[in-house]
Amino acid sequence: MTEAHLAVVVLAAGNGSRMKSATPKVMHEIAGLPMLGHTLATASSLGASYIIPVVRHEKEILESYIHAFYPNTHIAHQDEIPGTGRAVECALNVLPDGFSGAVVVTSGDVPLLDVNTIEAMLDVHLSSGAGATLLTAVFSDPSGYGRIVRDDSGSFSSIVEHRDATDEELEITEVNAGVYVFDFDALKSALSAIGTHNAVGEKYLTDAATEILKSGRAVQALQVSDNWLVAGVNNRVQLQEVSAELNRRICEGWMLSGVTIADPQTTFIDITVSLGEDVTLLPGTHLKGITSVGRGSTIGPEVSIEDTQVGEDVSIIKAHISGSVIESESTVGPYSYIRPGTHLG
């Protein structure tokens, strides 16, 4: 169902210099999809009438991917004014005159954020009549994150970026998770009032929450119970950590659905893979792309399969298979290479 009064803004304009890569940061893959693909898939599942990715650096690469896989989105371009606040401002300019309702803001480098978490935020936001609702997380090491400042009653007061924080504020361990729901009118008014008077001369989206509070509207700050949901990726170490956690969750989900996985730590399953009941995956199995494995098949050890249909009761041992069809009750391997286009009876 399409929610006519809901827009989702996905921030993807940063240059991702810490990845040290010719590939844009949000195009690095985890579990078979670029991080941007995970984020846009979540946004699409919310049923919003407007999904607006904001691009700037390497925009041609991002636009090509978005047009190919998410053609119903509305791409916004960030101009030379830096900062997340400006990025969202550029996104709002894409919305039609007369739009009103809620605006969700998330980032293309937070791939594990799920639909349930955003829907729970929306429920709290709409039922409370808040001008803004944001997610927070408690980290043992909050270095680099904006701190959540609360008043004596525990209510949200402000977000202070790490580089602008006082020594006392740096002791705070509750941080901004970078996921928001705003009332459209309150957000537009707040962004027009925000300047770039901070340590790096950027227009911070975080300042919008403070402006909304000043205007007399409530701001809700909701703490997530699972920090992985808001884990951002800025370098290849974090990319590996998030990838490993997502793979752990994928393996766990398949095991609960009737798949035996002998060693989840050496088994890698893309999010696009489909498995039947009573499939057994032995150590060193890699299942990639649009791959399906039928009921009762045993895959592994040491097997890599990509974009392949595997039938029921198949045995594949120590093999590499790509772009093929393996019929039911077939036996493959050990030490086999099945070339793309093969149809094995």
Side-chain angles (χ1 to χ4, degrees):
M1 185 178 72
T2 300
E3 295 289 347
H5 299 290
L6 177 63
V8 182
V9 176
V10 178
L11 303 179
N15 61 10
S17 58
R18 282 178 280 177
M19 294 297 287
K20 302 188 185 304
S21 174
T23 301
K25 178 174 75 167
V26 296
M27 292 303 294
H28 282 262
E29 290 192 0
I30 69 167
L33 288 181
M35 289 192 285
L36 181 61
H38 288 277
T39 310
L40 290 175
T42 299
S44 299
S45 297
L46 292 169
S49 52
Y50 298 95
I51 299 172
I52 310 171
V54 185
V55 302
R56 186 179 185 203
H57 295 282
E58 306 284 358
K59 63 182 180 181
E60 295 82 6
I61 297 173
L62 302 187
E63 287 177 342
S64 176
Y65 175 79
I66 293 166
H67 286 313
F69 294 99
Y70 298 93
N72 295 325
T73 59
H74 301 73
I75 297 174
H77 296 90
Q78 185 169 359
D79 54 23
E80 70 282 352
I81 300 173
T84 50
R86 181 57 182 171
V88 172
E89 206 165 30
C90 293
L92 298 188
N93 291 335
V94 172
L95 292 170
D97 293 340
F99 177 86
S100 65
V103 178
V104 173
V105 180
T106 183
S107 298
D109 61 358
V110 183
L112 299 191
L113 182 67
D114 62 359
V115 173
N116 290 341
T117 300
I118 299 176
E119 287 181 338
M121 286 181 71
L122 281 164
D123 288 344
V124 170
H125 177 80
L126 296 173
S127 63
S128 68
T133 301
L134 55 97
L135 279 187
T136 75
V138 173
F139 291 155
S140 57
D141 179 9
S143 299
Y145 290 90
R147 305 306 203 272
I148 300 296
V149 180
R150 295 181 181 268
D151 61 22
D152 292 339
S153 67
S155 298
F156 173 85
S157 178
S158 66
I159 303 169
V160 180
E161 294 299 329
H162 181 100
R163 59 177 66 92
D164 299 313
T166 64
D167 289 342
E168 184 178 0
E169 289 165 342
L170 289 174
E171 295 298 316
I172 297 171
T173 57
E174 185 182 16
V175 302
N176 174 35
V179 183
Y180 314 84
V181 181
F182 293 100
D183 173 78
F184 171 76
D185 293 323
L187 175 60
K188 194 160 189 179
S189 176
L191 288 173
S192 67
I194 294 171
T196 57
H197 309 298
N198 49 60
V200 290
E202 293 186 2
K203 190 164 187 171
Y204 290 150
L205 178 61
T206 49
D207 290 343
T210 305
E211 289 295 330
I212 289 170
L213 205 58
K214 287 180 185 176
S215 74
R217 298 288 299 273
V219 174
Q220 299 275 1
L222 307 178
Q223 185 179 320
V224 295
S225 57
D226 180 358
N227 286 356
W228 282 111
L229 295 178
V230 293
V233 174
N234 291 302
N235 57 49
R236 307 225 190 195
V237 174
Q238 293 171 340
L239 181 71
Q240 186 279 326
E241 291 169 346
V242 171
S243 295
E245 176 59 22
L246 179 55
N247 189 69
R248 185 193 69 78
R249 294 179 184 218
I250 291 171
C251 287
E252 183 178 277
W254 282 119
M255 287 188 286
L256 292 172
S257 298
V259 173
T260 296
I261 301 178
D263 184 7
Q265 291 188 324
T266 64
T267 301
F268 299 91
I269 307 171
D270 280 357
I271 203 164
T272 47
V273 168
S274 175
L275 303 174
E277 285 185 5
D278 291 321
V279 165
T280 298
L281 304 181
L282 299 178
T285 294
H286 294 236
L287 303 178
K288 305 175 184 178
I290 310 302
T291 289
S292 61
V293 180
R295 178 192 296 265
S297 292
T298 298
I299 312 297
E302 298 176 32
V303 170
S304 175
I305 302 177
E306 184 169 5
D307 296 331
T308 292
Q309 293 174 266
V310 178
E312 298 184 356
D313 298 312
V314 171
S315 173
I316 301 176
I317 302 170
K318 293 187 177 180
H320 180 88
I321 304 172
S322 179
S324 298
V325 175
I326 310 298
E327 295 284 2
S328 295
E329 300 182 8
S330 299
T331 299
V332 178
Y335 309 113
S336 296
Y337 171 49
I338 307 297
R339 298 175 184 278
T342 299
H343 192 131
L344 185 66

